[in-house]
Amino acid sequence: MLSFLKKNIKKIRSSWRYARLGKTVDINQFKLIFLDPCFNLCNLECPYCPVGCKLKLKDMSRGFLTLDTLKEIWSKSLRDYRGKIGLYNWGEAFLNPDLAEIVKFIKTNSRAQLILNSNFSFSSDEKILAILKYLDKDEIIISCDGFSQATCEKYRKNVDFEKVMHNVALINSNRKRITRLKWQYLIFPWNLEEIGATEEFCGKNNIIFYTGVGGITPDYPMLPTPYSFNSNKFRCEFFFDALTINFDGEVYPCCAFFGPVRYSIGNAFDTSIQEIFTHGKGKEMLDYLTHKSEGGEDLFCKLCVERNSSMLDSWKI
């Protein structure tokens, strides 16, 4: 019996989570929620990123999350949330002029853990210090793929490595001991030789170093893909761990979304997350994932790269 449980624990957990979400929605069922403060805007031009390489769709929005929008979303869905909130996704969060006020509001009105991710290639000491005042058991991620200007700029176009290192030092000397600082290093053929130097620097400065896979293709495919779905054999739990609320309140199943607003499953500014998943398009998505319906043509999950094996043909690894 014990071996059966160990072997099938993921399937059992998945079935339980789906069954529970289909009947009632507790916002704390979502382990991580991305609340995008700056969508489709960035100071860099990374060629493998749909924002950086300037890919556009006709009805793709762009803009900043405002404090008023956040308060409306908060009152409807997030006031009792105790999980993790990622204040980043498809854009540079620190471009948002209200970011410090957004952090202050979340930290003074919830027990949620914040995660901020930035390229830190800018001059904004005042904003950084204002944000650090409110962070405690939270997390800051530095996205930098090298340990020199020459290496970093090969992928992160327009990066200023000197500004990055200035901001790292500023954060490290002013953060609370319980605020974690991480260095995310995407691996490419040209930056392998600087991994050691970066890791050594992180070790000396109490920074958590970790690596990730670099870009896949310069012509990064839009999500959803233009292909019809091939498979719906497994139960995706990504939306439990990466539910995304855009700057304008539009809700998407996961952080992989980058495309037209018609694939939104609802708007958290107009209605609650609970309502979206029990009666709205979110319920339609759940019915599709649990094989209860075919799902409509504007259902993001039907065309997701993770669920569509034919999409892999267009990815150049």
Side-chain angles (χ1 to χ4, degrees), residues 152-167:
C152 288
E153 67 185 10
K154 286 186 178 180
Y155 175 61
R156 298 191 182 268
K157 305 298 183 183
N158 302 330
V159 71
D160 187 325
F161 185 68
E162 186 176 333
K163 289 180 180 177
V164 174
M165 294 305 290
H166 168 82
N167 288 327

Side-chain angles (χ1 to χ4, degrees), residues 87-102:
L87 275 179
Y88 65 97
N89 198 22
W90 291 114
E92 172 48 57
F94 277 79
L95 292 179
N96 189 319
D98 295 332
L99 187 63
E101 288 300 311
I102 288 170

Side-chain angles (χ1 to χ4, degrees), residues 120 122-126 128-129 160-174 201:
F120 284 107
F122 48 78
S123 298
S124 189
D125 290 16
E126 186 177 347
I128 290 173
L129 291 173
D160 187 325
F161 185 68
E162 186 176 333
K163 289 180 180 177
V164 174
M165 294 305 290
H166 168 82
N167 288 327
V168 171
L170 181 70
I171 294 168
N172 214 25
S173 59
N174 289 279
F201 171 83

